[in-house]
Amino acid sequence: ILRSLLNKKVPLQLGRVCYSSSSVPTTKLFIDGKFVDSNSSEWLDIPNPATNEVIGRVPIATQGEMLAAVDSCSRAFHSWSETSILSRQQVFLRYQQLIKDNIVRKTKELAKMITLEQGKTLADAEGDVFRGLQVVEHACSITSLMLGETLPSITRDMDTYTYRLPIGVCAGIAPFNFPAMIPLWMFPIGMVCGNTYLMKPSERVPGCTMLLAKLLQDAGAPDGTLNIIHGQHAAVNFICDHPAIKAISFVGSNPAGEHIYERGSKNGKRVQSNMGAKNHGVVMPDANKENTINQLVGAAFGAAGQRCMALSTAIFVGESRQWVPELVERSKSLRVNAGDQPGADVGPLISPQAKARVESLIQSGVDEGANILLDGRNVNVKGYESGNFVGPTILSGVKPSMKCYKEEIFGPVLVILEAENLDEAISLINNNPYGNGTAIFTTNGATARKYTHEVDVGQIGVNVPIPVPLPMFSFTGSRGSFRGDTNFYGKQGIQFYTQIKTVTSQWKAEDATLSGPAVTMPTMG
Ligand code: NAD
């Protein structure tokens, strides 16, 4: 299927029917359990980032199509929310198995689709699917996760208990960088709680979400429980404004996330908004040198730096600065190539615009006085000369006032700062507006403890470069990296997608009849 996509063979059949026959395959909408062609007159090209060849087109869904999708969610809500929790659990038990089979199978459609549309290496794309799968596996524990609370004998013959109940139609708006993992942070948790779900994947990588929808349908999710629309600003504003949508999960950049948080909240919706980052790795002189250098190189340049948890900034404390030349040498050994090529370590950036932006941020660092120790601009990838490639790049002598430090680069660029001691490093990080992730490399427990307590960042790794929490915990980015008060997945995810009903009941013995009306406020004492 993927080969035929690349070769533009016709007709195309993806899963049931995600793509229709056309010289350029077109992405379907998923409305009321059917993969349907859009009537839109507006379409966007989907280029392969390694070649910039157009491999498909995605519609900007029309107003009528978006209304049909949300109406389908609304109609399905009543029966899905009343479906027994054991039946909902069974759907997701089957779903996790289908995703697992897809990863293990030789065809690996999900991972291949990610590499084709997003560019990351196949091994990394499998990791993307696998981290999403873990969330689906976690969703299968819903029978424990959704338990309410009880307190018997609040007063004589009176008990209080709470239920967790779904909230209605929920919506997810996803970014391009994790085409499997991030949609899987959203609709499985929302749906297993009994909500119906409207997904808007990134218009740059819609294919993986379509495959995931097909697998969910195969797992037995009833028609209308998941609907998928495509588009950009108009689709996002539609989601923020439609009164039937009760909650929005967003992951992406700050301008979009702040807009969605404000517009959605103003319309009375719950919004959780995970946004940009500038993650610092602090290297203490007592750290294990080999491990630290390997971890820094992997976390700075893996996925071409297009991870919200990439370690894009290193702070070398004291004598550890002497390790920088080795870090540069190790970075040179990474192979820049198309993601589907054997041995590729660093794939292309998502678009020519992203490449130009990253290159201009590198140049701004040079212009503002940073030293360019490794320059990945003009990297030559044989056979892929038209791709959006930037090789690993390292800037040292970077100061907090420089543009390359202040902006999220979102490319394979590591900026290096120096600090005299741990306090100075912590103060640098706490003065940065973002609070997504950070890591410290040390062999001293007291240093690690001080760091984890004093650094004002939501997710901290101690000798762990990319501390993305497993789904029994929550993804807890903070400050400029998050808006809302309830995070994605884990206990907080269940809280986000449910509301609480509290029941207070009194069952008196027959002879305990009230002697008259009580007009004072009951204190239940
Ligand atoms: P993006 O904000 O451009 O796009 C995300 C979604 O928002 C897409 O579905 C897009 O259609 C929509 N969108 C884009 N611009 C919009 C606008 N102005 N108004 C309304 N909607 C808009 O983000 P991206 O480039 O796809 O993803 C990269 C960004 O996502 C980076 O900043 C990265 O740090 C962030 N990210 C954060 C996390 C996290 O958990 N904190 C995870 C992954 C990515």
Side-chain angles (χ1 to χ4, degrees):
I1 291 160
L2 287 153
R3 206 169 301 120
S4 59
L5 266 172
L6 277 168
N7 298 338
K8 295 184 197 150
K9 278 186 197 153
V10 288
L12 290 166
Q13 243 351 72
L14 189 57
R16 178 119 32 119
V17 257
C18 296
Y19 288 87
S20 67
S21 51
S22 143
S23 60
V24 183
T26 54
T27 312
K28 304 264 186 183
L29 302 163
F30 184 49
I31 298 181
D32 215 28
K34 291 174 194 68
F35 292 92
V36 293
D37 286 315
S38 171
N39 292 321
S40 182
S41 54
E42 288 179 88
W43 293 76
L44 299 168
D45 287 342
I46 308 170
N48 174 347
T51 60
N52 276 311
E53 260 183 277
V54 175
I55 49 168
R57 291 191 309 150
V58 62
I60 304 282
T62 64
Q63 182 75 6
E65 289 163 348
M66 295 193 289
L67 283 169
V70 83
D71 285 351
S72 165
C73 286
S74 298
R75 283 195 306 276
F77 177 69
H78 181 71
S79 60
W80 180 242
S81 60
E82 291 295 323
T83 299
S84 79
I85 196 162
L86 291 175
S87 303
R88 297 204 303 263
Q89 183 189 40
Q90 284 302 319
V91 170
F92 285 92
L93 281 165
R94 287 191 292 271
Y95 192 40
Q96 62 82 29
Q97 189 59 50
L98 291 177
I99 298 174
K100 204 173 280 164
D101 290 348
N102 197 287
I103 299 181
V104 177
R105 235 190 287 146
K106 280 211 178 95
T107 49
K108 297 183 196 288
E109 283 111 337
L110 289 165
K112 286 185 182 170
M113 179 59 86
I114 293 173
T115 298
L116 182 69
E117 289 189 344
Q118 200 273 353
K120 65 176 72 176
T121 66
L122 265 175
D124 199 32
E126 282 176 39
D128 186 335
V129 180
F130 200 83
R131 287 303 300 250
L133 168 66
Q134 289 171 330
V135 178
V136 181
E137 288 172 339
H138 186 66
C140 297
S141 311
I142 192 63
T143 40
S144 307
L145 297 171
M146 234 173 121
L147 283 175
E149 295 175 325
T150 60
L151 196 57
S153 304
I154 290 282
T155 188
R156 187 131 184 239
D157 302 325
M158 189 182 283
D159 311 311
T160 299
Y161 52 95
T162 63
Y163 299 127
R164 279 199 175 276
L165 296 168
I167 47 183
V169 180
C170 301
I173 302 167
F176 79 84
N177 66 330
F178 281 98
M181 179 183 81
I182 291 179
L184 290 173
W185 285 0
M186 297 175 172
F187 66 82
I189 302 287
M191 286 175 65
V192 81
C193 290
N195 302 289
T196 53
Y197 215 94
L198 180 67
M199 233 1 257
K200 193 207 84 65
S202 167
E203 66 281 13
R204 302 196 257 187
V205 293
C208 186
T209 302
M210 301 312 289
L211 289 173
L212 287 170
K214 175 68 178 60
L215 294 181
L216 187 64
Q217 188 177 52
D218 292 348
D223 292 351
T225 51
L226 175 69
N227 283 271
I228 300 175
I229 57 170
H230 302 292
Q232 295 175 304
H233 304 83
V236 165
N237 288 339
F238 172 86
I239 288 170
C240 292
D241 295 346
H242 197 291
I245 295 171
K246 302 298 177 206
I248 305 173
S249 294
F250 169 82
V251 180
S253 65
N254 280 65
E258 287 166 17
H259 167 77
I260 290 164
Y261 183 79
E262 275 158 34
R263 190 156 173 160
S265 305
K266 205 168 156 197
N267 285 324
K269 302 176 197 309
R270 292 182 184 185
V271 186
Q272 52 178 192
S273 206
N274 269 10
M275 301 180 291
K278 196 82 182 172
N279 308 311
H280 298 68
V282 175
V283 183
M284 299 303 290
D286 60 32
N288 175 321
K289 188 170 106 180
E290 273 303 296
N291 284 348
T292 304
I293 291 176
N294 282 332
Q295 287 174 318
L296 276 178
V297 171
F301 305 125
Q306 297 179 119
R307 288 182 185 138
C308 68
M309 289 290 276
L311 268 191
S312 55
T313 308
I315 305 180
F316 283 84
V317 176
E319 291 307 299
S320 71
R321 70 188 62 157
Q322 292 170 2
W323 304 350
V324 171
E326 274 184 66
L327 175 84
V328 174
E329 283 313 306
R330 199 76 48 92
S331 306
K332 282 183 189 165
S333 67
L334 295 183
R335 287 154 298 185
V336 182
N337 209 340
D340 61 357
Q341 292 303 300
D345 295 309
V346 178
L349 293 173
I350 187 70
S351 65
Q353 293 76 10
K355 175 178 158 139
R357 185 179 162 274
V358 168
E359 288 181 342
S360 89
L361 281 165
I362 296 170
Q363 189 56 41
S364 77
V366 175
D367 295 344
E368 289 183 279
N371 312 309
I372 186 146
L373 305 181
L374 184 61
D375 190 350
R377 294 173 292 178
N378 303 319
V379 65
N380 182 25
V381 183
K382 212 159 164 269
Y384 294 92
E385 286 75 11
S386 304
N388 312 316
F389 293 95
V390 176
T393 299
I394 300 179
L395 292 165
S396 72
V398 170
K399 303 283 177 242
S401 59
M402 292 181 184
K403 197 172 170 196
C404 66
Y405 177 77
K406 289 195 286 193
E407 285 196 23
E408 179 183 36
I409 299 179
F410 223 55
V413 182
L414 179 67
V415 302
I416 295 181
L417 290 85
E418 289 178 8
E420 284 313 313
N421 51 46
L422 183 62
D423 285 320
E424 205 182 295
I426 292 174
S427 143
L428 249 171
I429 298 166
N430 288 351
N431 280 314
N432 187 285
Y434 294 107
N436 209 39
T438 184
I440 187 165
F441 302 94
T442 180
T443 49
N444 184 314
T447 301
R449 186 174 190 283
K450 175 181 164 73
Y451 188 73
T452 54
H453 280 249
E454 293 183 15
V455 78
D456 188 5
V457 174
Q459 302 173 110
I460 305 168
V462 176
N463 300 316
V464 174
I466 304 189
V468 176
L470 282 165
M472 56 296 276
F473 296 93
S474 298
F475 189 101
T476 51
S478 63
R479 294 195 285 142
S481 300
F482 179 68
R483 288 227 179 150
D485 51 16
T486 316
N487 293 113
F488 279 80
Y489 63 81
K491 284 183 190 146
Q492 295 202 29
I494 301 296
Q495 218 171 308
F496 183 76
Y497 285 121
T498 54
Q499 57 189 324
I500 291 177
K501 193 179 268 184
T502 309
V503 179
T504 302
S505 65
Q506 189 170 44
W507 292 101
K508 284 176 177 290
E510 265 174 41
D511 57 348
T513 308
L514 290 176
S515 54
V519 290
T520 54
M521 182 66 190
T523 57
M524 298 176 181

